[in-house]
């Protein structure tokens, strides 16, 4: 895994200098500490920070084709590079390395801008066509690897992370409140938006081309596609089960390809357990495994994690995280996430990746993506109950089914019948509308917007339901309700939060690459063709995957209800009512008024409520963490040093308050 950056000058623009791009790459050294490279001509400069995993000796970037007419800087992995290399050699292409990077330049020669269609991987690519003076930016299908850009003064700047863009003094630094409002709704910003003014993100599954005159064009090479609700290919459950087994095993086999040791995360759930089972079957020896433990037993899954490790005989490492650890590492996590975050969950993941790095492991496979592709989330089951209820909205029995969905919560949102009737019963008359399944979560999250300064709050009133519907492809009306819910989840929470703030960013903070076999192209496309009843049978989530796991993973793990990964939130920042120094400063009335983002009185009351341990459920906790992270983001990226970026060596001081 790596970091990329670069500058392109359009007609009449100031030619880029190597020092500019070197400065950009220096900001993302954590993404690639094994080497740094640069290509420059009179119109383009490409930079690269390398984390060497494939072809350690020969895979240096930027890399060119035979006649040096096409150059590429690339972040990610191409899992089918061996097969592509074989095909391209038959077509007359000559290779000078054994790296997965080199297939990219030859695919471009062969297929032009359509080359990403042939890639199976997780990637952010910047390709420079020297003769035509055109830049091609491409991103993987679901947004596993980030890629941002900014246009100004006949120039284009691009990078893996926004902090690299902000190394350039010509780029303005300000939060985009439309983007922030979407974080406070969907948990992330749907692409091409971002939380920074003037900064765009390349959409997943898309190619953006910039010609010599600055003209910009985009095309989508892949999109989410599900079986039509009326379609039936006649496959039995057993046939689908065998097909999923074969597809998953092949995906894991592709993703363990590496010239360095590969490990795995074990969460305690079925998803990561299945990945470890396949890895143990494929590799010569069981992989090293790593798990998060929590001092607070409400969040701890250690017993299930050890059961998986014992079953497969892995070399297992546990990292126990306390609330104090979360408070101390929160500022650094925000710096890497480059976004407000509404939960503290990314922090322990960053601490886990640090231990993985210290163990000498550069690559880990995770179970991320199974809930999206195989319908594992409570939100899908909740939507099914609400749609069932909507058929007889006056029923008192049907909403009682909601109480079965949250056994892992000490105080779940459906425990009170009166509350369930009021909250989950909203909008029952629109049960057929796309996004219906997400309304309760979006409404809960948007309660955080009430803490914004009134001047900002007035500008945040966008139609979040209609925007959610607009994220769907045009043919979504042919899908059943579960498939629509899955697609919206993938376009919002998955790409905007799970794969970024809680995924790529916190792993690469410690130079660790995460790979996600459940989001392999072939796995997604196979899962999307499955009948919905095989994924969610009644209220039994990931039904087909649990059948597949029987006999491969411990029964206790296979049979346990879905428990999402969580971490302590507002409670992490107080010790017997005494606030952590950093959070106390962020919530000072003087500081809140100075920054001007939030209603100082309302935020102060929330702070006091959390200090007394009286935070009520998700809404209070999300608002508290969201305010604190936004204040840190402002300090780190808008106020700090002359270039507007928090320097890496300043982070210990920030952590100390």
């Amino acid at each position: 895994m790596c970091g990329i950056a670069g500058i392109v000058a359009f007609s009449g623009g100031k030619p880029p200098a190597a020092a500019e791009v070197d400065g950009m790459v220096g900001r993302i050294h954590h993404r690639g500490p094994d080497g740094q490279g640069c290509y420059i001509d009179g119109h383009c400069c490409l930079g690269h920070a390398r984390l060497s995993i494939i072809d350690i000796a020969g895979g240096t970037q930027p890399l060119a084709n035979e006649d040096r007419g096409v150059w590429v800087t690339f972040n990610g992995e191409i899992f089918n590079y061996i097969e592509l290399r074989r095909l391209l050699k038959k077509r007359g292409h000559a290779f000078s390395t054994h790296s997965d990077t080199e297939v990219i330049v030859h695919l471009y020669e062969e297929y032009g801008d359509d080359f990403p269609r042939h890639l199976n991987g997780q990637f952010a690519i910047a390709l420079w066509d020297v003769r035509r003076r055109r830049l091609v930016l491409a991103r993987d299908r679901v947004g596993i690897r980030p890629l941002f850009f900014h246009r100004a003064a006949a120039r284009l700047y691009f990078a893996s992370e926004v902090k690299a863009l902000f190394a350039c003094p010509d780029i303005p630094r300000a939060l985009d409140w439309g983007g922030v409002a979407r974080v406070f709704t969907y948990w992330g910003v749907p692409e091409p938006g971002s939380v920074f003014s003037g900064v765009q993100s390349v959409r997943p599954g898309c190619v953006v081309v910039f010609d010599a005159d600055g003209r910009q064009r985009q095309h989508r090479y892949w999109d989410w596609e599900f079986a039509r609700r009326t379609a039936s290919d006649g496959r039995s459950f057993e046939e689908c089960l065998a097909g999923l087994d074969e597809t998953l095993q092949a995906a894991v086999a592709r993703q363990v390809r590496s010239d360095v040791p590969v490990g795995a995360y074990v969460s305690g759930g079925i998803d990561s357990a299945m990945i470890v089972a396949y890895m143990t079957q494929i590799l010569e020896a069981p992989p090293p495994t790593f798990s998060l433990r929590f001092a607070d037993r409400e969040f701890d899954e250690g017993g299930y994690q050890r059961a998986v490790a014992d079953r497969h005989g892995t070399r297992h490492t546990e990292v126990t995280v306390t609330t104090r650890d979360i408070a101390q590492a929160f500022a650094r996590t925000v710096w890497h996430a480059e976004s407000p975050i509404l939960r503290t969950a990314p922090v322990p993941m960053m601490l886990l990746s640090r231990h993985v790095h210290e163990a000498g492991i550069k690559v880990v496979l995770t179970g991320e993506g199974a809930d999206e592709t195989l319908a594992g989330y409570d939100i899908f089951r909740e939507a099914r109950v609400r749609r069932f209820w909507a058929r007889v909205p006056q029923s008192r029995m049907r909403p009682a089914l909601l109480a079965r969905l949250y056994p892992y919560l000490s105080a779940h949102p459906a425990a009170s019948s009166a509350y369930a009737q009021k909250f989950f019963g909203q909008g029952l008359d629109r049960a057929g509308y796309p996004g219906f399944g997400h309304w309760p979560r979006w409404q809960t999250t948007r309660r955080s917007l009430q803490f914004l300064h009134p001047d900002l709050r007035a500008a945040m009133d966008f139609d979040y339901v209609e925007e959610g519907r607009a994220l769907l492809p045009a043919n979504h009306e042919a899908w059943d309700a579960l498939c629509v819910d899955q697609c919206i989840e993938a376009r919002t929470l998955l790409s905007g939060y799970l794969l970024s703030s809680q995924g790529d960013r916190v792993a690469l903070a410690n130079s660790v690459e995460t790979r996600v076999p459940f989001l392999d192209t072939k796995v997604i496309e196979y899962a999307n063709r499955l009948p919905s009843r095989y994924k969610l049978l009644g209220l039994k989530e990931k039904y087909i995957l649990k059948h597949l796991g029987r006999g491969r993973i411990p029964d206790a793990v296979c049979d346990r209800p879905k428990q999402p990964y969580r971490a302590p939130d507002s409670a992490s920042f107080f010790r017997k009512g005494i606030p952590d120094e950093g959070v106390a400063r962020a919530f000072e009335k003087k500081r809140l008024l100075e920054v001007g983002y939030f209603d100082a009185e309302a935020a102060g009351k929330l702070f006091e409520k959390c200090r007394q341990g009286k935070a009520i459920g998700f809404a209070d906790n999300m608002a508290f963490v969201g305010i604190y992270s936004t204040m840190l983001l402002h300090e780190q990226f808008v106020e700090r040093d002359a270039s507007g970026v928090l320097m890496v060596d300043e982070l210990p001081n920030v952590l100390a308050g």
Side-chain angles (χ1 to χ4, degrees):
M1 196 51 55
C2 310
I4 66 175
I7 301 173
V8 171
F10 302 126
S11 299
K14 177 185 175 183
E20 291 180 283
V21 174
D22 285 345
M24 296 171 73
V25 173
R27 296 288 190 185
I28 52 175
H29 177 75
H30 51 276
R31 295 187 71 90
D34 296 335
Q36 186 167 325
C38 181
Y39 162 81
I40 187 167
D41 60 29
H43 306 284
C44 174
C45 186
L46 306 178
H48 187 260
R50 187 183 186 205
L51 182 65
S52 51
I53 292 172
I54 299 290
D55 191 7
I56 295 173
T60 302
Q61 296 184 47
L63 182 148
N65 63 342
E66 303 99 317
D67 66 4
R68 303 172 74 82
V70 179
W71 286 83
V72 68
T73 183
F74 153 61
N75 164 214
E77 301 292 343
I78 307 303
F79 298 125
N80 63 335
Y81 78 98
I82 293 175
E83 293 80 4
L84 289 172
R85 179 187 175 93
R86 190 180 303 126
L87 171 67
L88 290 163
K89 288 181 75 171
K90 286 182 180 179
R91 298 198 176 193
H93 295 269
F95 285 77
S96 60
T97 75
H98 296 283
S99 71
D100 59 335
T101 307
E102 195 172 1
V103 302
I104 296 172
V105 291
H106 296 300
L107 279 173
Y108 176 74
E109 291 178 298
E110 192 73 25
Y111 300 107
D113 296 345
D114 206 35
F115 75 91
R117 190 182 304 276
H118 302 270
L119 301 176
N120 182 322
Q122 46 195 52
F123 52 82
I125 297 169
L127 184 146
W128 175 244
D129 188 322
V130 177
R131 296 180 186 84
R132 300 168 68 186
R133 285 177 49 196
R134 67 200 301 265
L135 180 75
V136 180
L137 300 180
R139 195 167 174 213
D140 65 64
R141 290 163 175 80
V142 294
I144 301 170
R145 299 303 165 208
L147 185 53
F148 298 94
F149 64 92
H150 171 82
R151 297 188 62 158
R155 275 181 152 200
L156 176 83
Y157 305 80
F158 68 86
S160 295
E161 298 185 14
V162 177
K163 60 179 64 68
L165 298 178
F166 285 174
C168 303
D170 293 339
I171 299 179
R173 293 141 187 91
L175 295 185
D176 181 292
W177 282 95
V180 173
R182 282 153 182 83
V183 172
F184 279 55
T185 301
Y186 306 124
W187 292 38
V189 187
E191 291 85 358
S194 82
V195 298
F196 293 101
S197 180
V199 175
Q200 295 186 61
S201 174
V202 176
R203 285 185 171 102
C206 286
V207 173
V208 185
V209 179
F210 300 89
D211 292 322
D213 60 1
R215 186 166 49 119
Q216 177 179 332
R217 292 172 287 114
Q218 174 185 285
H219 77 269
R220 180 174 290 283
Y221 68 88
W222 185 90
D223 206 351
W224 288 86
E225 181 62 64
F226 291 85
R228 298 174 65 90
R229 58 175 168 265
T230 57
S232 175
D233 57 12
R235 289 179 298 168
S236 68
F237 179 76
E238 289 71 23
E239 289 172 315
C240 290
L241 191 69
L244 181 61
D245 184 19
E246 180 182 353
T247 306
L248 272 173
Q249 182 175 340
V252 174
R254 281 190 292 271
Q255 297 202 18
V256 295
R257 289 174 173 173
S258 172
D259 292 336
V260 298
V262 178
Y265 284 165
V266 174
S267 67
I270 186 174
D271 310 334
S272 60
M274 288 296 293
I275 297 301
V276 172
Y278 282 117
M279 291 177 72
T280 304
Q281 179 180 337
I282 294 164
L283 298 172
E284 294 181 358
T289 53
F290 302 86
S291 290
L292 272 176
R293 301 288 307 277
F294 287 96
D296 188 331
R297 294 186 63 182
E298 179 183 348
F299 304 94
D300 190 56
E301 301 180 66
Y304 296 107
Q305 296 162 354
R306 286 193 299 272
V308 173
D310 291 345
R311 172 67 177 263
H312 298 291
T314 69
R315 292 164 288 143
H316 191 60
T317 300
E318 297 178 340
V319 177
T320 300
V321 176
T322 67
T323 54
R324 184 61 177 162
D325 294 329
I326 292 172
Q328 290 181 325
F330 190 76
R332 182 179 285 271
T333 302
V334 172
W335 188 78
H336 283 290
E338 298 182 332
S339 172
I341 54 178
L342 305 180
R343 308 301 298 270
T344 63
V347 184
M349 296 303 298
M350 188 182 74
L351 297 176
L352 179 62
S353 72
R354 183 182 69 189
H355 284 268
V356 171
H357 175 80
E358 291 171 350
I361 300 297
K362 290 184 176 181
V363 180
V364 289
L365 272 62
T366 83
E368 199 69 78
D371 290 315
E372 288 78 12
T373 56
L374 294 168
Y377 284 126
D378 287 328
I379 195 171
F380 301 140
R381 300 195 298 155
E382 179 186 292
R384 177 155 290 182
V385 173
R386 292 177 63 237
R387 289 186 177 105
F388 176 64
W389 179 12
R391 296 176 200 163
V392 187
Q394 69 274 18
S395 172
R396 297 294 178 180
M397 297 299 295
R398 293 190 175 202
L401 291 169
L402 292 163
R404 296 171 53 185
L405 303 185
Y406 305 100
Y408 52 87
L409 294 178
S410 55
H412 61 75
S416 166
S417 176
Y419 179 84
Q421 291 279 343
K422 181 179 178 181
F423 180 73
F424 292 108
Q426 297 179 75
L428 290 184
D429 58 332
R430 303 182 72 191
Y433 193 84
F436 170 80
H438 290 74
W439 290 351
R441 184 170 71 195
W442 291 344
Q443 289 170 332
T444 299
T445 308
R446 281 179 63 82
R447 286 175 59 186
S448 302
L449 295 175
Q450 69 183 299
F451 294 96
L452 289 175
H453 189 282
D455 292 345
L456 289 172
R457 201 184 312 151
M460 298 298 104
D461 189 21
F462 65 98
D463 190 337
Y464 61 96
V465 174
E466 181 58 28
E467 280 198 13
R469 185 204 62 79
L471 295 172
L472 294 163
N475 62 344
H476 73 271
E477 294 180 359
W479 306 342
D480 68 24
L482 176 63
C483 296
V484 171
D485 289 345
Q486 287 181 265
C487 188
I488 290 177
E489 191 75 353
R491 286 277 172 82
T492 53
L493 189 75
L494 179 66
S495 62
Y497 171 73
L498 293 175
L499 295 177
S500 55
S501 298
Q502 196 171 294
D504 171 274
R505 302 311 191 83
V506 291
L508 267 299
N510 294 296
S511 307
V512 173
E513 173 186 302
T514 53
R515 298 181 178 180
V516 281
F518 281 105
L519 295 178
D520 180 276
T521 304
K522 300 295 185 183
V523 174
I524 293 175
E525 293 176 348
Y526 186 88
N528 288 1
R529 291 192 301 270
L530 289 172
S532 288
R533 66 183 182 279
Y534 293 168
K535 293 180 283 188
L536 181 61
L537 183 66
L539 296 181
K540 297 177 181 178
E541 79 281 359
K542 285 184 290 199
Y543 182 73
I544 192 169
L545 186 63
K546 289 187 174 183
H547 270 265
L548 192 57
R550 191 68 61 191
R552 300 171 186 254
I553 63 176
D555 286 346
V557 174
C558 202
D559 294 334
R560 69 181 299 214
K562 166 68 180 175
Q563 178 172 329
Y565 162 64
R566 301 177 301 131
D569 288 314
S570 62
S572 298
F573 302 99
F574 301 92
R575 306 284 169 270
K576 297 181 179 179
I578 300 174
D580 177 78
E581 188 175 352
V583 78
R585 178 175 180 270
F587 278 85
E588 282 180 352
K589 185 174 183 178
K590 178 182 177 181
R591 176 64 175 158
L592 289 165
L593 290 171
E594 175 188 21
V595 173
Y597 294 161
F598 297 99
D599 182 322
E601 294 295 334
K605 290 178 181 178
L606 177 65
F607 176 86
E608 185 61 23
K609 189 177 185 180
C610 292
R611 186 188 70 79
Q612 295 179 20
K614 296 180 179 179
I616 300 174
F618 294 140
D620 283 349
N621 278 289
M622 284 192 290
F624 182 88
V625 177
I627 292 170
Y628 184 29
S629 60
T630 304
M631 293 292 287
L632 284 170
L633 197 71
H634 172 81
E635 179 181 8
Q636 295 169 353
F637 288 89
V638 179
E639 286 185 337
R640 286 278 166 168
D641 68 15
S643 67
V645 183
L646 176 68
M647 301 297 290
V648 175
D649 57 9
E650 288 185 80
L651 279 166
N653 296 328
V654 173
L655 294 179

